[in-house]
């Protein structure tokens, strides 16, 4: 590591950071006073912890089935859970685990909730909200998103423990920026206290959850780096904090061999004698169509089959997180979830016959490679941070690194190929898919647009671009295409509030502003963007694309908001040729022209 890299790592730690061990101890004290609850599942099925159920399934080599659901209100959610339970009673299609996706605002302190744009799904507010969900059906409940990993982690983790959610939180979301929230020290220290709560409940088998695709690894080019990052989280949570930990990942992992190899590696490195090392494996969410959606069964079912077979053979102990065939269109409905669950369980009924026909030799080799290189990546992280002068035994400092480090820099800095390749170049051992697929998509779009006569047409244009939420790749493709057509693109990155977008626009004085929005906040976000620009007396031609749907007040299902957004004066548009055609028709006026 060179001096610039060391200086960069040091710059991640603010001067006034409190000592982590003291903060952790405060969390442990808080945790000791929290009264552990028993969920309906635990009471009715007789498990002291859901971990015991998971361990039992692991021993038998049986698959645990999970779904992910976040409906418009707590009432809708409770009814949806009951619907799935009734469906199971009628058909025998049991769903073992419900992963609860609350609204992102659940992760914010209450005073900010009314001011921030609202995405899809319900907000957990009163203790009764958690309780109603934990009691809605006798299934294992996982209070996942916006617990651990959010600014409101401490309160939300306590609620999860009080309601018997054995797995809680998404630690990797520590890297997310939450709307209107900018106190990194409090963010990290409250998350450390939340880990203290889980450490206090270690013997009762409460586990800190994570989901790599949500966080830093979601930008990595190599699954060996994913694994190295996994070991880093495991080090912080288990070794520095004394809590339990299990790995989850997978929606951007579309090759079953890689997925199984990665799962084998996580099992080998992370499992404990009384607890599986893997919590859930999310299924391929990036290859689905948004048209003729029945075709998507053809994408999902072969993947499930391979995982069922690998689990039977190796007793990996994971749960499959099912996604319905509507994945590319909108958040899942209970009916769509039930349909995919039924297809998966029918597949499982006769899966024994496949196992002997399948050879997992490739996965075993890949697993060894991942472990070898991932372990080096992890060691490089620790030695790099230590060389830079950080205290690698202070959990607060280590969590601040996760919160603040740039993912792309992190992979470049610690990747073993840099030491192995004579010229110090990066090369992936087990390449991830998203970056590659996006470059191919960019190439297709650019060739098509050159064919339509757009080549070089944006030569004198400056574009400010940002993603309003955690979705990076849509904006990445937009950036690549506009750049290929000659534009100068100033890409702010992810998690941009409206004010951040306008700040960047004022700094750069672009011809156009492009915003990519996916998480259901498009309408609220558009309103805020326009109000702010009118307050600042600035007017930019703004284009917005991505997934422009949301849930209107009083409605249950998301719908497309493009019409409303267009009426407000922002150009809602998902097609790049259409956007460029419109850009070329917009004359630069003297509105903000200071050039
Ligand atoms: C990958 C993914 C993630 C990853 C992103 C990782 C990363 N580093 O980028 C992670 C796991 C972090 C994630 C998180 C969430 N996600 Co997500 N995610 C996806 C997924 C599977 C793929 C998105 C993607 O990258 N596609 C590849 C890119 C290249 O395609 P694209 O985004 O469609 O972009 C193209 C066009 O849309 C267009 N475009 C995009 N932006 C713009 C902008 C302009 C101006 C223009 C002209 C065009 C344009 O050009 C691109 C090239 O063709 C989709 C489902 C799907 N298959 O689409 C869900 C999906 C978008 N996610 C969804 C949700 C709800 C979330 C969460 C809110 C869930 C949660 N935890 O609560 C969080 C976001 C939280 C937050 N902080 O904002 C929903 C959105 C539902 C809705 N709006 O109704 C989807 C549809 C899944 C679903 N069915 O529930 N997600």
């Amino acid at each position: 590591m060179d001096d610039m890299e060391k200086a960069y790592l040091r710059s991640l730690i603010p001067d006034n950071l409190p000592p982590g061990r003291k903060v952790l101890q405060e969390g442990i004290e808080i945790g000791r006073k929290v009264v552990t609850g028993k969920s309906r599942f635990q009471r009715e099925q007789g498990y002291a912890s859901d971990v015991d159920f998971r361990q039992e399934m692991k021993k038998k080599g049986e698959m645990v089935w999970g779904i992910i659901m976040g409906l418009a209100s707590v009432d809708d959610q409770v009814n949806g859970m009951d619907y799935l339970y009734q469906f199971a009673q009628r058909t025998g299609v049991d769903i073992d685990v419900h992963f609860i996706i609350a609204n992102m605002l659940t992760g914010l302190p209450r005073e900010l909730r009314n001011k921030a744009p609202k995405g899809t799904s319900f907000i957990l507010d009163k203790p009764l909200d958690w309780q109603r969900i934990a009691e809605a059906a006798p299934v294992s409940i996982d209070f996942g998103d916006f617990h651990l990993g959010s600014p409101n982690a401490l309160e939300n983790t306590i609620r999860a423990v009080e309601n018997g959610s054995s797995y809680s939180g998404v630690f990797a979301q520590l890297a997310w920026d939450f709307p209107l929230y900018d106190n990194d020290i409090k963010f990290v220290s409250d998350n450390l206290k939340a880990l203290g709560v889980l450490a206090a409940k270690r013997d009762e088998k409460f586990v800190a959850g994570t989901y790599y695709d949500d966080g830093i690894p979601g930008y990595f080019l190599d699954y060996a780096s994913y694994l190295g990052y996994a070991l880093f989280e495991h080090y912080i949570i288990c070794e520095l904090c004394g809590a339990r930990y299990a790995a989850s990942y997978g929606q951007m992992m579309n090759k079953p061999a890689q997925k199984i190899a990665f799962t084998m590696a996580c099992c080998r490195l992370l499992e404990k004698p009384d607890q599986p090392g893997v919590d859930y494996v999310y299924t391929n969410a990036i290859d689905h169509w948004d048209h003729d959606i029945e075709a998507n069964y053809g994408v999902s079912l072969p993947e499930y089959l391979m995982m069922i077979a690998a689990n039977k053979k190796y007793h990996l102990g994971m749960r499959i997180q099912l996604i319905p065939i509507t994945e590319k269109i909108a958040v899942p409905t209970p009916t769509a979830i039930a349909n995919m669950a039924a297809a998966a369980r029918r597949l499982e009924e006769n899966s024994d016959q496949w196992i002997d026909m399948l050879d997992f030799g490739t996965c075993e080799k890949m697993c060894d490679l991942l472990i070898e290189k991932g372990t080096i990546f992890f060691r490089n992280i620790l030695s790099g941070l230590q060389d830079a002068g950080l205290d690698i035994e202070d959990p607060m400092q280590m969590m601040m690194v996760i919160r603040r480090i740039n993912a792309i820099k992190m992979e470049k800095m610690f990747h073993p190929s840099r030491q192995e390749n004579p010229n110090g170049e990066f090369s992936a051992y087990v390449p991830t898919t998203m970056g590659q697929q996006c470059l191919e998509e960019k190439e297709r779009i650019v060739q098509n647009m050159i064919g339509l006569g757009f080549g070089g047409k944006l030569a004198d244009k400056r574009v400010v671009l940002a993603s309003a939420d955690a979705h990076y790749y849509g904006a990445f493709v937009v950036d690549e295409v506009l750049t290929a057509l000659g534009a100068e693109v100033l890409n702010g990155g992810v998690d941009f509030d409206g004010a951040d977008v306008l700040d960047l626009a004022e700094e750069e004085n672009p011809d156009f502003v492009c915003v990519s929005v996916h998480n259901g906040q498009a309408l609220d976000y558009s309103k805020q963007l326009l109000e702010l620009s009118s307050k600042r007396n600035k007017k930019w031609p703004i284009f917005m694309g991505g997934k422009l749907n949301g849930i209107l007040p009083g409605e249950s299902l998301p719908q497309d908001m493009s019409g409303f957004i267009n009426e407000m004066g922002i150009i809602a548009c998902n097609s790049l040729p259409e956007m460029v055609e419109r850009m070329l028709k917009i004359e630069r006026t003297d509105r903000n022209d200071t050039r």
Side-chain angles (χ1 to χ4, degrees), residues 145 214 251 285 327 330 441 469-472 516 518-519 549 573:
D145 284 34
D214 269 344
Q251 77 191 93
E327 171 66 13
E441 183 168 356
D469 48 52
H471 296 91
Y472 161 79
S516 182
H518 287 79
N519 66 355
N549 52 11
C573 154

Side-chain angles (χ1 to χ4, degrees), residues 66-240:
I67 59 103
I68 177 161
M69 190 162 72
L71 301 179
S73 64
V74 174
D75 282 344
D76 284 345
Q77 181 77 10
V78 168
N79 292 338
M81 292 172 71
D82 182 57
Y83 169 87
L84 290 173
Y85 181 59
Q86 298 306 332
F87 179 76
Q89 296 294 97
R90 179 167 66 78
T91 59
V93 174
D94 289 327
I95 296 169
D96 304 303
V97 184
H98 286 202
F99 185 89
I100 309 298
I101 291 266
N103 193 292
M104 193 173 192
L105 302 187
T106 302
L108 277 180
R110 283 187 178 64
E111 64 276 11
L112 291 180
R113 289 186 189 165
N114 282 338
K115 297 176 200 142
K118 187 176 184 297
T120 54
S121 88
F122 59 89
I123 301 172
L124 288 164
D125 182 21
K126 298 174 210 62
L128 186 64
D129 294 338
W130 276 267
Q131 200 189 334
R132 286 184 65 205
I133 288 172
E135 291 295 311
V139 294
S140 171
I141 303 297
D142 185 342
F143 283 110
D145 284 34
F146 313 122
H147 284 68
L148 193 62
S150 74
N152 217 42
L154 182 56
E155 178 192 341
N156 296 354
T157 304
I158 291 173
R159 296 280 169 263
V161 170
E162 284 170 348
N163 287 286
S165 174
S166 301
Y167 293 78
S168 69
V170 180
F171 184 73
Q173 291 177 357
L174 198 63
W176 280 1
D177 280 336
F178 281 70
L180 311 180
Y181 192 88
D182 59 4
N183 187 342
D184 274 3
I185 294 183
K186 184 152 170 49
F187 191 144
V188 172
S189 86
D190 281 1
N191 271 278
L192 185 49
K193 285 182 196 164
L195 280 177
V197 170
L198 294 176
K201 302 292 175 193
R202 194 187 184 290
D203 292 346
E204 291 168 80
K205 297 191 186 157
F206 282 88
V207 183
T210 190
Y211 181 62
Y212 304 137
D213 303 37
D214 269 344
I216 289 174
Y219 302 87
F220 284 168
L221 299 171
D222 191 348
Y223 284 120
S225 323
Y226 254 71
L227 193 68
Y229 174 88
L231 290 171
F232 186 45
E233 281 197 354
H234 172 260
Y235 164 76
I236 297 172
I237 292 174
C238 298
E239 288 188 36
L240 299 186

Side-chain angles (χ1 to χ4, degrees), residues 197-400:
V197 170
L198 294 176
K201 302 292 175 193
R202 194 187 184 290
D203 292 346
E204 291 168 80
K205 297 191 186 157
F206 282 88
V207 183
T210 190
Y211 181 62
Y212 304 137
D213 303 37
D214 269 344
I216 289 174
Y219 302 87
F220 284 168
L221 299 171
D222 191 348
Y223 284 120
S225 323
Y226 254 71
L227 193 68
Y229 174 88
L231 290 171
F232 186 45
E233 281 197 354
H234 172 260
Y235 164 76
I236 297 172
I237 292 174
C238 298
E239 288 188 36
L240 299 186
C241 297
R244 287 177 185 266
Y245 175 74
S248 303
Y249 42 82
Q251 77 191 93
M252 295 194 281
M253 227 179 235
N254 69 344
K255 298 192 174 68
Q258 291 182 338
K259 210 163 211 166
I260 290 164
F262 191 82
T263 305
M264 289 169 160
C266 285
C267 284
R268 270 211 242 155
L269 296 175
L270 306 176
E271 72 186 15
K272 309 260 180 296
D274 61 352
Q275 180 215 310
V278 176
D279 179 8
Y280 63 89
V281 183
Y282 210 122
T283 49
N284 173 3
I286 58 174
D287 290 336
H288 277 194
W289 282 355
D290 55 5
H291 56 90
D292 306 288
I293 55 173
E294 284 72 16
N296 296 333
Y297 283 115
V299 174
S300 295
L301 292 175
E303 186 187 28
Y304 301 164
L305 178 62
M306 299 309 279
M307 287 202 278
I308 294 167
N311 192 48
K312 279 188 194 241
K313 187 166 169 148
Y314 297 96
H315 293 217
L316 300 168
M318 82 275 221
R319 83 171 186 255
I320 292 184
Q321 193 86 299
L322 293 160
I323 55 158
I325 56 170
T326 51
E327 171 66 13
K328 198 164 180 203
I329 301 175
V331 286
T333 61
T335 326
I337 291 171
N339 289 342
M340 184 55 98
R345 299 304 299 260
R346 299 289 339 249
L347 173 78
E348 189 186 26
E349 281 167 21
N350 290 312
S351 56
D352 277 345
Q353 59 177 317
W354 298 95
I355 298 178
D356 293 338
M357 293 159 66
L358 296 172
D359 176 1
F360 289 103
T362 322
C363 302
E364 287 175 11
K365 276 199 208 109
M366 206 187 280
C367 165
D368 290 342
L369 179 66
L370 283 169
I371 290 182
E372 183 197 333
K373 303 300 179 189
T375 308
I376 301 175
F377 188 98
F378 166 59
R379 281 203 222 106
N380 288 349
I381 300 179
L382 288 193
S383 59
L385 294 174
Q386 199 163 29
D387 286 353
L390 276 68
D391 179 355
I392 60 166
E393 286 177 6
D394 182 338
M396 186 90 169
Q397 288 200 18
M398 295 303 98
M399 285 163 73
M400 192 55 87

Side-chain angles (χ1 to χ4, degrees), residues 331-485:
V331 286
T333 61
T335 326
I337 291 171
N339 289 342
M340 184 55 98
R345 299 304 299 260
R346 299 289 339 249
L347 173 78
E348 189 186 26
E349 281 167 21
N350 290 312
S351 56
D352 277 345
Q353 59 177 317
W354 298 95
I355 298 178
D356 293 338
M357 293 159 66
L358 296 172
D359 176 1
F360 289 103
T362 322
C363 302
E364 287 175 11
K365 276 199 208 109
M366 206 187 280
C367 165
D368 290 342
L369 179 66
L370 283 169
I371 290 182
E372 183 197 333
K373 303 300 179 189
T375 308
I376 301 175
F377 188 98
F378 166 59
R379 281 203 222 106
N380 288 349
I381 300 179
L382 288 193
S383 59
L385 294 174
Q386 199 163 29
D387 286 353
L390 276 68
D391 179 355
I392 60 166
E393 286 177 6
D394 182 338
M396 186 90 169
Q397 288 200 18
M398 295 303 98
M399 285 163 73
M400 192 55 87
V401 169
I402 292 191
R403 168 114 198 93
R404 291 188 160 180
I405 200 166
N406 173 292
I408 294 158
K409 273 194 188 148
M410 183 184 198
E411 183 169 45
K412 291 240 164 74
M413 257 186 262
F414 302 124
H415 198 264
S417 66
R418 257 187 70 178
Q419 296 143 337
E420 285 169 8
N421 293 343
N423 52 4
E425 260 183 22
F426 174 93
S427 57
Y429 307 102
V430 183
T432 56
T433 308
M434 279 302 269
Q436 197 48 44
Q437 270 192 2
C438 289
L439 288 173
E440 284 161 17
E441 183 168 356
K442 164 234 161 175
E443 207 41 49
R444 272 195 307 275
I445 299 176
V446 169
Q447 288 315 322
N448 171 37
M449 291 183 73
I450 290 174
L452 293 170
F454 289 117
K457 283 279 164 58
L458 295 177
D460 56 347
K461 306 291 184 204
R462 277 162 76 76
V463 181
V464 155
L465 166 71
S467 168
D469 48 52
H471 296 91
Y472 161 79
Y473 291 99
F476 172 78
V477 174
V478 174
D479 183 347
E480 291 284 322
V481 170
L482 296 183
T483 306
L485 299 179

